[in-house]
């Protein structure tokens, strides 16, 4: 609060920021995600969705015991403020939750960072995924992206606004495509009559790629793919690519729902 008030003295229109989360390395959150198994990833998804989970806490842990089991890390996240309790069940069992929006966003950023690093370890698969975009192979993109989504920590429906869900999948896709160092990949760039989700320039083939990502409410993947492609056409998102000299334009509407997606080429 003091940091925010101090900034307001200089910038009356300044918005609140997560000053707290920037005061540490947040290494404990990343360590926790690295160690997560399928069950733990499911619990993280529930926490991000605003739900609570029940865990037994051990506040008396020594430093040497922190990494011994994933259960010990739950206690560390609680004692360091990354989780809070919403009620005691019995003994040392508590209902745990993410305390506020700032820490929830911190978890999401750490998940996206973890995903980028783990996915980059399989270079041939990632290269095949990226190369499918300029070649127009929507079926291959859909197949590989579904595989990536299945293995990552996703955002569930509960309590999470649609825009935040779209931002999450946008971030996942952007992290994968930025693997190609010789491509120019832009995010939320102004083009035509609006701001396109992702614009890509592939210099060797002078191919421009326009991608619009939607969250498919009620699992209506076909409907939202069509909406994404219509938005690309209606708002002329390819304008920036044509101005930059791209000779071939490929358009994709991508709709995601939980851990699966559909990709349609326009």
């Amino acid at each position: 609060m003091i940091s925010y008030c101090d900034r307001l003295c200089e910038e009356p229109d300044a918005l609140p920021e997560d000053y707290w989360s920037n005061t540490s390395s947040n290494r404990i959150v990343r360590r926790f995600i690295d160690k997560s198994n399928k069950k733990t990833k499911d619990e993280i998804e529930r926490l991000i969705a605003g739900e609570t989970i029940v865990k037994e806490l051990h506040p008396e842990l020594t430093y040497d015991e922190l990494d011994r089991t994933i259960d010990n890390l739950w206690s560390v996240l609680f004692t360091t403020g990354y989780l809070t309790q919403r009620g005691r069940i019995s003994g040392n069992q508590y209902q745990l939750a993410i305390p506020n929006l700032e820490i929830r966003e911190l978890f999401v950023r750490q998940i996206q960072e973890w995903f980028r690093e783990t996915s980059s370890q399989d270079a041939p698969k990632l290269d095949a995924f990226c190369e499918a975009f300029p070649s127009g192979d929507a079926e291959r993109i859909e197949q590989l992206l579904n595989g990536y989504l299945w293995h990552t920590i996703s955002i569930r429906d509960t309590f999470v606004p649609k825009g935040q869900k779209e931002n999450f999948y946008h971030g996942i896709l952007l992290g994968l495509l930025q693997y190609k160092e010789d491509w120019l990949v832009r995010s939320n760039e102004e083009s035509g009559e609006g701001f396109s989700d992702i614009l890509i320039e592939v210099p060797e083939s002078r191919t421009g790629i326009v991608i619009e990502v939607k969250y498919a409410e009620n699992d209506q993947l076909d409907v939202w793919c069509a909406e994404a492609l219509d938005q690309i056409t209606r708002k002329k998102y390819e304008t920036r690519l044509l101005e930059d000299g791209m000779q071939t334009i490929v358009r994709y509407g991508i709709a995601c729902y939980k851990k699966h997606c559909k990709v349609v080429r326009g």
Side-chain angles (χ1 to χ4, degrees), residues 222-234:
D222 291 317
V223 171
W224 287 99
C225 280
E227 169 62 25
L229 290 173
D230 179 68
Q231 184 173 325
I232 290 172
T233 302
R234 190 173 67 252

Side-chain angles (χ1 to χ4, degrees), residues 111-174:
I111 289 167
Q112 290 175 331
E113 181 181 312
W114 162 80
F115 176 76
R116 282 194 296 269
E117 292 182 12
T118 53
S119 60
S120 66
Q121 293 172 9
D122 189 347
K125 179 181 176 182
L126 192 50
D127 196 59
F129 176 74
C130 292
E131 290 297 340
F133 279 86
S135 65
D137 193 345
E139 183 177 347
R140 181 65 168 155
I141 296 168
E142 182 178 313
Q143 175 195 6
L144 291 172
L145 184 54
N146 271 314
Y148 282 123
L149 292 178
W150 177 252
H151 289 98
T152 191
I153 300 171
S154 66
I155 289 191
R156 299 185 177 190
D157 288 352
T158 316
F159 304 129
V160 181
K162 183 175 182 291
Q164 291 183 16
K165 296 171 195 169
E166 289 182 349
N167 289 341
F168 179 81
Y169 292 105
H170 180 160
I172 290 292
L173 187 57
L174 191 64

Side-chain angles (χ1 to χ4, degrees), residues 20 28-29 32 53 55-61 71-87 92-99 103 107:
W20 179 87
I28 185 64
V29 176
F32 177 68
I53 61 169
K55 287 293 173 182
E56 185 171 330
L57 301 179
H58 303 281
E60 74 283 355
L61 289 173
D71 290 333
N72 289 350
L73 286 174
W74 285 109
S75 298
V76 177
L77 288 170
F78 174 72
T79 56
T80 51
Y82 291 100
L83 295 175
T84 189
Q85 59 95 1
R86 297 283 189 242
N92 288 331
Q93 286 194 326
Y94 293 86
Q95 287 185 324
L96 300 181
I98 292 177
I103 295 181
F107 267 90

Side-chain angles (χ1 to χ4, degrees), residues 151-249:
H151 289 98
T152 191
I153 300 171
S154 66
I155 289 191
R156 299 185 177 190
D157 288 352
T158 316
F159 304 129
V160 181
K162 183 175 182 291
Q164 291 183 16
K165 296 171 195 169
E166 289 182 349
N167 289 341
F168 179 81
Y169 292 105
H170 180 160
I172 290 292
L173 187 57
L174 191 64
L176 292 169
L177 291 168
Q178 287 176 334
Y179 169 77
K180 301 292 283 186
E181 296 181 356
D182 55 337
W183 289 6
L184 178 58
V185 181
R186 299 188 180 100
S187 174
N188 293 316
E189 191 83 6
E190 186 172 9
S191 182
E193 299 176 6
F195 292 82
S196 176
D197 279 347
I198 299 175
L199 296 177
I200 303 172
E201 295 181 13
V202 183
E204 61 266 26
S205 61
R206 296 185 70 178
T207 299
I209 302 165
V210 187
I211 303 171
E212 188 67 22
V213 181
K214 296 293 184 183
Y215 184 78
E217 297 283 6
N218 301 317
D219 206 9
Q220 296 178 314
L221 297 170
D222 291 317
V223 171
W224 287 99
C225 280
E227 169 62 25
L229 290 173
D230 179 68
Q231 184 173 325
I232 290 172
T233 302
R234 190 173 67 252
K235 297 196 174 184
K236 303 176 182 177
Y237 285 154
E238 73 279 2
T239 301
R240 178 68 178 271
L241 300 173
L242 293 170
E243 290 174 349
D244 288 352
M246 297 299 103
Q247 296 179 339
T248 302
I249 304 296

